[in-house]
Amino acid sequence: MALPQGWVYTEITAPDLRFAWLLLLCLACPVVSAWHRRRWSVSTPVVTCLLLFPPAFALWLASGGNGRYFMPYILLVGVASVGVLYAAPFTRPMRLTMLALIMVLQSGAVWVNSPWQPFDSLEWIRWRTSSYFDVDVSAIERHENVMYVTFAGQSHSFVAPYFPASSKWMNLSSFEGRDFLAGNEPVVRGARRRLRENQDIRVMLRSQPRQAEAETGLPNKLALESINGYLAQFGLSIKSHGLCWLLPSKSLGAMTMLVSSDTPEEITKLKSHAGFWVCQLAFSGTRAATAEGRAQTEHAKEIIGRVEQLCPRLFPPGQQELKRVGYGFIRSYSESDATLTYVVTEGVVYVKFLRALNPQRIGVVDEILHPSFQLRCDGFISREGLPWMRDL
């Protein structure tokens, strides 16, 4: 709980020293009481509170360890700490000093990972104007009966009120890992039907100013290829002669990543190109793939399947479809918080755990496919939290 690293107990880094403090206090009090022969008596409510922590902590860690689901005890730990300290066999000045110390330490821990910072925080965009979010939709505000598809994990639903009421929306990220074009689940069939029935389908995604045309701010060739590469699994593609629009957003402009080498002119251009891209799509209902692409996919399945066979506990097969990305293929495993990546250009397979800092190399393709290849499944850096247990 005290380690300042992400994915230990929540997505947002938020070290909490109070649990370690409470544990040390509970260990120190009986020792000091026996040494100085001072009476130490904790009230019944505080004892009841303390007895709740061990089983609750164990159940919480066993069920995922996400901080939001431990919130009642995150609130209780401060109260319990003060209750134990109040009855501690120390002098009053000593108790006040210890209370002030932990308050300073915890405040420092929160300060170095402030929840009010613009990045990696509890908020994405600050609401400073009368409108909760700035986006210029004047280029398409009169376009009726359009279906917008998005694929961000966090949907763009907050901008929907700016669009005509006849607009329809679909988030494709909900279908990742499924065979969208051949799947028979009712929700997949319904999504395909909606795509077939709509005449005007458009993709909407947050623009990438560094991958935009310098003059128009629209996606460049590399960006278009990347977008089409993702959409192919859903039978969608940007129309070859279709239109694209940039919807500028000052709110997203304020969040644009900048580097120290950017000139004032470049910064102005990047912020002016921040917003959303909207491009017309065509739905073919089939995955466009060449014979070479199909062969490469089958080869990737063989490689990833071999790793799954060697470590089925970490990489249980059948959880998700193999996904093609710009540099190769990936498959994620929710049970172990791991992702296998096959980088085609290198011919190397890596594994990345959410709680590990870096990807870890498994081996080259020829090694992995050889019958004598062995993989130590307990040798990965994954859930360890202590600095001396991490290969940084």
Side-chain angles (χ1 to χ4, degrees), residues 179-208:
D179 189 350
F180 183 80
L181 298 176
N184 203 35
E185 302 97 322
V187 66
V188 175
R189 294 202 310 270
R192 289 200 302 265
R193 176 181 54 78
R194 293 183 65 190
L195 291 175
R196 283 194 302 269
E197 293 175 352
N198 280 272
Q199 300 300 314
D200 192 349
I201 308 172
R202 303 177 187 179
V203 64
M204 176 176 155
L205 69 155
R206 183 175 170 181
S207 67
Q208 303 298 318

Side-chain angles (χ1 to χ4, degrees), residues 286-303 322 324 329 342 344:
T286 59
R287 187 191 299 267
T290 63
E292 180 183 357
R294 287 192 293 270
Q296 195 175 64
T297 300
E298 291 302 315
H299 185 52
K301 287 182 178 179
E302 181 185 8
I303 297 165
L322 191 66
R324 181 157 196 158
F329 299 84
Y342 167 38
V344 174

Side-chain angles (χ1 to χ4, degrees), residues 21 85 93-107:
W21 158 254
L85 186 59
M94 183 65 174
R95 292 198 296 269
L96 292 175
T97 301
M98 296 173 73
L99 180 60
L101 178 63
I102 187 56
M103 289 177 66
V104 169
L105 291 174
Q106 182 60 25
S107 298

Side-chain angles (χ1 to χ4, degrees), residues 178-364:
R178 306 188 191 191
D179 189 350
F180 183 80
L181 298 176
N184 203 35
E185 302 97 322
V187 66
V188 175
R189 294 202 310 270
R192 289 200 302 265
R193 176 181 54 78
R194 293 183 65 190
L195 291 175
R196 283 194 302 269
E197 293 175 352
N198 280 272
Q199 300 300 314
D200 192 349
I201 308 172
R202 303 177 187 179
V203 64
M204 176 176 155
L205 69 155
R206 183 175 170 181
S207 67
Q208 303 298 318
R210 295 187 187 276
Q211 294 185 13
E213 299 288 351
E215 297 302 321
T216 63
L218 296 175
N220 60 22
K221 182 180 179 181
L222 180 62
L224 290 172
E225 289 177 354
S226 178
I227 297 169
N228 275 330
Y230 177 85
L231 294 173
Q233 61 185 304
F234 305 103
L236 292 165
S237 62
I238 296 176
K239 288 185 176 180
S240 57
H241 300 290
L243 295 176
C244 285
W245 298 266
L246 170 67
L247 311 182
S249 169
K250 293 179 181 178
S251 296
L252 293 180
M255 297 176 61
T256 301
M257 295 291 292
L258 304 173
V259 297
S260 58
S261 59
D262 288 332
T263 65
E265 293 77 14
E266 288 173 334
I267 292 174
T268 301
K269 183 72 72 174
L270 288 170
K271 290 191 173 184
S272 68
H273 290 166
F276 295 96
W277 285 331
V278 174
C279 293
Q280 291 180 323
L281 297 179
F283 177 63
S284 65
T286 59
R287 187 191 299 267
T290 63
E292 180 183 357
R294 287 192 293 270
Q296 195 175 64
T297 300
E298 291 302 315
H299 185 52
K301 287 182 178 179
E302 181 185 8
I303 297 165
I304 298 298
R306 171 65 172 155
V307 177
E308 292 175 341
Q309 180 184 6
L310 293 169
C311 295
R313 181 181 62 84
L314 291 177
F315 315 119
Q319 286 195 357
Q320 284 196 11
E321 288 291 317
L322 191 66
K323 186 189 302 183
R324 181 157 196 158
V325 292
Y327 48 83
F329 299 84
I330 63 172
R331 177 176 284 170
S332 298
Y333 305 86
S334 57
E335 290 185 7
S336 56
D337 291 337
T339 298
L340 286 176
T341 300
Y342 167 38
V343 182
V344 174
T345 54
E346 297 180 11
V348 178
V349 177
Y350 297 91
V351 61
K352 174 67 173 69
F353 290 88
L354 284 176
R355 291 172 174 83
L357 181 64
N358 299 312
Q360 298 162 70
R361 186 177 183 274
I362 289 179
V364 298

